[in-house]
Amino acid sequence: MTLSPARVPGTGPGSGPAVRRLTATLYGYAFLDDFVLLYPVYALLFSDTGLTVWQISSLFCLWSLTGVLLEIPSGAWADAVSRRLLLWFGPLLTAAGFTLWVLAPTYWAFALGFVLWGAKGALGSGALEALVYEELDRLGAADRYGAVMGRARAAGLVAVMAAMPLTGPVYAFGGYPAVGLASVLACLLTAATAARFPEHREPADAAKDGAARRESPGDDLGEGLGDGPGEGLDDGLGDVRGDRSVRGALLLVPAVTAVWGALDEYTPLLVRDTGVAEAAVPNWLLLIWAGATVGGLLAGAGRRLGTGGFAGLLAVSAVALAAGAWVRTPAGIGLVALSFCGFQLASVLADARLQDRIGGAGRATLTSVAGVGTDLTTIAVYGAYGVVGSATTHGAAFALFAVPYLVTAALQAAVGKAAAGKAAARAARTSGSRARP
């Protein structure tokens, strides 16, 4: 048995309350999911507890590895059960982890908290994208997916920027316990918001067998069950084996997303190396995050970019990153912000391209496969940056990591040129056949 959404006849993009309910819930979910006051200070919590740099690094590795190990199984699970159920359950795991951190601040409590946090990320990765895309498709608005997800990512970045100035006063009032309590409340609100997601999924085989199609009302968590996680995995891998465009879109997601996502962790060090005062570093970081926010908001317009335009976007962003980092001045941070704007836009477009090419019941599974590729590439970038950053300046390291984007841009340009050549050849053959008597 496979699962597929039933299209609602007579509904158009952006029309009706159904689309507004879906997008409002998504934006609220994205905002609350990142409105976590512990984000700016959890490294300080670890250090103040007495953890060494090596222990803190091991926690980050454990966090990433948990996501890698659970990503694909959770994606297959999301294709077999209610995706909304996983989106509701995930934030509760994070809430439990944050509670452990502030009530029993030890290395093993931190480690367990990161395992729970990594599990939450795996449950949501793939499930969220699949749910949103299929609900939009059911409403006749699948072409809005890129714009909608771009705004959702922008909402998450706005939440991060909003949480930063609040963390200081809350910490001054009640220390780490108060910051942790606020973070737990944000997780609970995220779970409550996830329960409001609409979800309509029904067995496609019933229609094939001539049985009456029953539309799922989407009111109860856990509806729309499939035969099991293995079915989504088989369908997803079948798409990869049988369609070259799916394989290309699958590889493009980590190629675009991983490097700049990893570099984001080192932006405070890059900013500090420009010579600005320590207290001014957060202000320059806000500029970089604002650039990424704008990139998410531009996703709707960016959908009009063809393969050549996408390649140009990557190339310009890579040049801006290299130039802005290399000059090692505060003015160069503006170019880095511009590059993050382009990379965020490219990341949303790459995800939208993948969703457009996936068919069948394995949407969440394949999205999770792309997530695993992103996680593994990110870990590799962390390791490479540790080597390069130790041997040179942060500006030079950032400039060096612009090279992969130039390579990806060149490959995309070649693909676009080849596709244009094939299209021209098909058009010539068609016109020639019509000219024959």
Side-chain angles (χ1 to χ4, degrees):
M1 181 181 292
T2 59
L3 300 171
S4 63
R7 187 178 299 276
V8 176
T11 56
S15 64
V19 172
R20 290 195 294 271
R21 176 193 172 189
L22 172 64
T23 54
T25 303
L26 173 64
Y27 301 153
Y29 178 88
F31 182 90
L32 291 170
D33 193 39
D34 279 325
F35 191 67
V36 177
L37 271 61
L38 270 171
Y39 282 173
V41 297
Y42 63 71
L44 300 179
L45 169 63
F46 303 156
S47 179
D48 291 346
T49 304
L51 269 62
T52 65
V53 174
W54 180 89
Q55 288 176 311
I56 295 174
S57 298
S58 69
L59 291 175
F60 292 151
C61 289
L62 179 63
W63 186 17
S64 298
L65 288 174
T66 300
V68 169
L69 293 175
L70 297 180
E71 187 85 38
I72 294 178
S74 66
W77 192 19
D79 283 326
V81 303
S82 167
R83 291 159 182 165
R84 184 175 57 187
L85 174 63
L86 302 189
L87 295 174
W88 168 80
F89 184 62
L92 300 182
L93 296 179
T94 311
F98 290 162
T99 301
L100 278 175
W101 285 5
V102 295
L103 292 183
T106 63
Y107 176 84
W108 293 109
F110 296 146
L112 180 56
F114 268 123
V115 169
L116 293 173
W117 196 354
K120 177 264 177 188
L123 290 176
S125 176
L128 179 64
E129 292 86 350
L131 184 149
V132 172
Y133 187 91
E134 292 189 354
E135 285 298 310
L136 287 173
D137 186 44
R138 188 184 69 88
L139 297 169
D143 60 328
R144 291 189 56 195
Y145 174 81
V148 168
M149 292 305 292
R151 291 169 189 158
R153 295 194 187 190
L157 290 170
V158 169
V160 172
M161 292 187 286
M164 285 187 65
L166 290 177
T167 301
V170 173
Y171 178 81
F173 172 77
Y176 291 121
V179 174
L181 175 61
S183 302
V184 169
L185 289 176
C187 293
L188 297 179
L189 289 173
T190 304
T193 303
R196 291 183 51 81
F197 272 117
E199 184 176 22
H200 301 78
R201 304 174 69 199
E202 53 182 67
D205 286 349
K208 294 178 182 178
D209 296 336
R213 183 176 290 273
R214 177 181 57 85
E215 180 173 340
S216 172
D219 290 333
D220 299 319
L221 291 172
E223 64 179 356
L225 301 181
D227 286 342
E231 182 185 12
L233 182 60
D234 289 342
D235 285 348
L237 295 181
D239 282 347
V240 173
R241 290 190 296 265
D243 192 335
R244 181 181 299 178
S245 67
V246 174
R247 292 197 297 272
L250 194 66
L251 292 173
L252 185 63
V253 171
V256 171
T257 306
V259 176
W260 80 274
L263 291 179
D264 177 59
E265 301 294 335
Y266 301 98
T267 50
L269 303 176
L270 176 69
V271 171
R272 188 173 62 182
D273 270 9
T274 63
V276 303
E278 194 87 15
V281 169
N283 297 329
W284 289 98
L285 292 178
L286 285 175
L287 175 62
I288 295 176
W289 289 329
T293 302
V294 172
L297 294 174
L298 291 175
R303 289 277 283 181
R304 293 191 290 269
L305 290 176
T307 304
F310 186 84
L313 172 65
L314 286 180
V316 170
S317 301
V319 171
L321 175 65
W326 186 263
V327 296
R328 296 181 65 190
T329 65
I333 300 303
L335 286 175
V336 175
L338 177 63
S339 73
F340 273 43
C341 173
F343 292 141
Q344 177 73 287
L345 172 57
S347 298
V348 176
L349 296 179
D351 172 52
R353 179 180 298 188
L354 175 62
Q355 298 302 327
D356 285 341
R357 283 160 173 73
I358 296 175
R363 183 176 304 279
T365 302
L366 280 185
T367 306
S368 292
V369 170
V372 169
T374 300
D375 290 340
L376 291 175
T377 306
T378 299
I379 292 173
V381 174
Y382 285 150
Y385 194 97
V387 175
V388 176
S390 299
T392 185
T393 65
H394 292 289
F398 269 68
L400 180 62
F401 279 103
V403 174
Y405 284 111
L406 293 175
V407 174
T408 302
L411 292 174
Q412 285 293 297
V415 169
K417 186 176 180 180
K422 291 180 180 178
R426 284 195 300 268
R429 288 195 299 269
T430 302
S431 63
S433 62
R434 289 177 179 173
R436 295 192 190 100

